[in-house]
Amino acid sequence: TLQAAQRSRIPHSRDLAVIGAAFTASHTTDATTCSPPAWARQVASASTLPSPDAPPWLLVALRPSAAPLVVAADGAVEVVLYNQPRGHALQYLSLAPLDLDLAGSSDAAARASRLAATTPQAQSGASDSCALSALADAVERMNAGSFVRALACRHQHGPLSRLCGAAASQAGSALARAAGSLHAAAAGPAACALFGVGLAAALTSRLLNRTWARDIQLVRVSATARQIDLRVRQLLFWPLQYALWRRSATKLSPLCQAQYIGFYNILWLVFNDAVIGAALGSFLVLNARPIAAAILGASDSLANASVESAIDWLMGWPPPAGLKLNAELNSFMGQLFVWMMRIWQGVLVFVRPHMEDIVLAIGACGYAGATFITAALSDVLSFLTLHLSLFYLVGSKLYYWMITILVTLFRLFRGRKRNVLRNRVDTAEFDMDQLLLGTILFTVLVFLLPTVAVYYVLFSLARLAVVVVQSGFGTVLALLNHFPLFAILLRLKDPGRLP
């Protein structure tokens, strides 16, 4: 095969590779006139006299505008064309999808287990494990090819290149010593400042997640508290995530790539959040009075006047939509909810004069990010519709209790009862008085059920409208906090860094 390769012509080629080693040939125009280095001649001579103990080898000429030419090989070969990833630019090839940890989670063990579960070795059987292991080894060699080539080219340059490299190394050492002295001078104050910031962040997170009376946590009832807690956790995790990536020896591993992309994605999101928040906050501060008036007007018309008119419509005579409502219970429940609404309007009287100040405070929060404005608006909506949440809670409890009692009385007619200890329905015997009393209660509750159900449906729809608006705020928060912006831009800019 070597003689046939020597008779063929090899076009101008810059790169030649043998078993992962690389060198540059600047004047190879013909296989009969080219002068390969000594190690290449040794490989070629070994093809005529193969050694039984020698490992498999391959000699390939890489042509810029054509397929690679196999000059000599030990056995049958198969040429696979691929684009060489540039390792110094963080390009790499991978057999498994990359699990992007864009949420800033600090659970490294869980992330590593997810990355291990997505590998082909974990998803294949035992019969394919050897082949996949060999393929993974080949991909790893492909990723290391650019580093090997750079190392080989560095050694092939002349003494001038090595002299320049030594001078650059000395200059780098001098700069490193100067930076080290500056770092030693500023290390103490910087460490104290970082310790103070970390301590304040940890205390803030602990306070927001503390359980108060009746299992109440601020992160569960307030969107602003959840956003503060998220930023505090990211602030605590950023230095650790960056240090883990910088100190890693294998920066092309999936875990390091996920840490790198996750870290810079969060930085991009925080920067964009601050820019958008500053613009939106300035708008709120400049237009605080009309915005406050619009919020109060919407609250009066939608959360108060509309609900009160719906209750008056249900209390009217004849009953609306042909509903068979109990007049006494309908009047009692309608007056009860109207009375509770009037009490809430009395509470809002003390809030109305300060609504403009609340809008100004929300606008000032914009300099911390648009997410804080969105979270604060969600909390304002929750406060202004607090009476609707209370109405829904009362109506749902009444409806649930009535349905539960009706189911129990229906089991009474069938001679059954609920066994709470064994969590099952058992047979039981009841006397005549119990059956008679159960019949009377069942009849009364059946006729009262439509009235309770009507109010339950009304306040469920009101609560649903509030939840839909809050879900919109939550969607905006999720996009601003967790949108994979850096990953998308990285994919568009350099697909080799995110295969």
Side-chain angles (χ1 to χ4, degrees):
T1 57
L2 180 62
Q3 288 78 5
Q6 289 177 346
R7 287 194 299 269
S8 63
R9 296 184 58 83
I10 303 177
H12 178 75
S13 177
R14 295 182 305 165
D15 303 325
L16 295 175
V18 176
I19 316 294
F23 71 97
T24 300
S26 59
H27 59 278
T28 57
T29 58
D30 196 327
T32 59
T33 60
C34 67
S35 177
W39 61 267
R41 291 195 297 270
Q42 293 175 3
V43 171
S45 63
S47 64
T48 59
L49 297 174
S51 174
D53 299 331
W57 54 268
L58 179 67
L59 180 60
V60 179
L62 301 180
R63 301 180 291 182
S65 59
L69 179 64
V70 178
V71 179
D74 183 14
V77 296
E78 214 175 293
V79 178
V80 179
L81 301 179
Y82 70 97
N83 294 325
Q84 175 67 56
R86 294 176 296 150
H88 296 285
L90 296 181
Q91 294 182 354
Y92 69 101
L93 301 176
S94 177
L95 297 177
L98 182 62
D99 184 13
L100 296 178
D101 185 20
L102 303 183
S105 174
S106 59
D107 193 354
R111 184 170 59 252
S113 63
R114 291 197 307 269
L115 290 173
T118 57
T119 58
Q121 290 85 348
Q123 298 175 358
S124 62
S127 59
D128 299 335
S129 60
C130 295
L132 289 176
S133 178
L135 185 59
D137 184 66
V139 171
E140 185 177 356
R141 292 176 182 272
M142 293 177 185
N143 292 331
S146 60
F147 298 102
V148 176
R149 176 181 173 182
L151 183 61
C153 292
R154 187 182 308 167
H155 285 285
Q156 289 175 10
H157 291 162
L160 180 60
S161 176
R162 288 193 291 270
L163 181 62
C164 294
S169 177
Q170 294 178 358
S173 301
L175 291 176
R177 287 193 296 269
S181 60
L182 293 177
H183 179 268
C192 294
L194 290 176
F195 177 77
V197 172
L199 181 60
L203 291 177
T204 302
S205 178
R206 186 174 181 85
L207 179 63
L208 294 176
N209 289 273
R210 180 182 177 182
T211 301
W212 302 89
R214 295 190 179 185
D215 297 334
I216 297 178
Q217 293 180 342
L218 291 178
V219 293
R220 293 184 178 180
V221 299
S222 173
T224 305
R226 289 193 294 272
Q227 183 61 31
I228 295 175
D229 181 65
L230 176 62
R231 285 289 182 259
V232 167
R233 290 178 181 272
Q234 290 175 345
L235 180 62
L236 291 175
F237 183 61
W238 279 345
L240 176 61
Q241 189 179 22
Y242 183 75
L244 290 175
W245 177 74
R246 291 292 297 179
R247 296 174 183 174
S248 176
T250 56
K251 288 186 171 56
L252 295 182
S253 63
L255 180 59
C256 291
Q257 289 295 315
Q259 291 174 348
Y260 171 81
I261 294 175
F263 176 77
Y264 284 101
N265 185 81
I266 295 176
L267 288 184
W268 270 76
L269 291 179
V270 171
F271 176 75
N272 293 336
D273 184 26
V275 172
I276 298 173
L280 188 57
S282 301
F283 174 78
L284 292 177
V285 170
L286 295 177
N287 301 274
R289 181 169 298 178
I291 292 176
I295 292 176
L296 291 176
S299 174
D300 292 337
S301 61
L302 298 178
N304 295 324
S306 298
V307 177
E308 187 173 356
S309 62
I311 294 175
D312 293 337
W313 178 65
L314 291 177
M315 292 174 59
W317 187 263
L323 300 174
K324 304 300 181 182
L325 304 180
N326 184 272
E328 289 75 11
L329 181 60
N330 187 15
S331 176
F332 169 76
M333 295 186 67
Q335 292 178 5
L336 173 65
F337 288 121
V338 170
W339 173 70
M340 294 172 64
M341 188 175 298
R342 299 290 170 75
I343 293 178
W344 179 249
Q345 291 176 355
V347 174
L348 291 180
V349 170
F350 299 98
V351 181
R352 290 176 181 275
H354 304 286
M355 182 55 68
E356 184 177 352
D357 298 332
I358 294 174
V359 175
L360 290 174
I362 295 175
C365 292
Y367 294 98
T371 53
F372 287 91
I373 293 180
T374 307
L377 291 176
S378 179
D379 288 340
V380 170
L381 176 64
S382 299
F383 177 75
L384 294 178
T385 59
L386 184 61
H387 60 295
L388 297 181
S389 301
L390 181 60
F391 294 168
Y392 169 74
L393 179 62
V394 172
S396 61
K397 288 296 182 182
L398 288 176
Y399 184 76
Y400 172 75
W401 290 338
M402 186 168 290
I403 293 295
T404 304
I405 295 173
L406 286 174
V407 171
T408 303
L409 294 176
F410 184 73
R411 289 174 183 161
L412 176 67
F413 299 149
R414 300 171 57 203
R416 296 178 178 274
K417 68 175 182 179
R418 180 74 177 177
N419 190 336
V420 181
L421 297 178
R422 296 182 179 273
N423 194 19
R424 66 185 185 186
V425 178
D426 297 334
T427 58
E429 295 182 359
F430 303 98
D431 53 18
M432 186 60 65
D433 295 336
Q434 291 175 334
L435 293 175
L436 181 60
L437 180 59
T439 303
I440 296 173
L441 292 177
F442 183 82
T443 305
V444 172
L445 292 178
V446 164
F447 284 104
L448 295 180
L449 180 62
T451 305
V452 178
V454 164
Y455 282 93
Y456 169 69
V457 171
L458 171 64
F459 297 125
S460 295
L461 294 177
R463 177 60 182 167
L464 179 62
V466 176
V467 169
V468 168
V469 178
Q470 289 182 334
S471 299
F473 286 128
T475 303
V476 174
L477 285 174
L479 290 177
L480 293 176
N481 285 322
H482 307 296
F483 186 74
L485 177 63
F486 183 78
I488 293 176
L489 294 179
L490 189 64
R491 179 67 180 177
L492 296 176
K493 174 181 176 292
D494 190 359
R497 297 179 62 179
L498 195 63

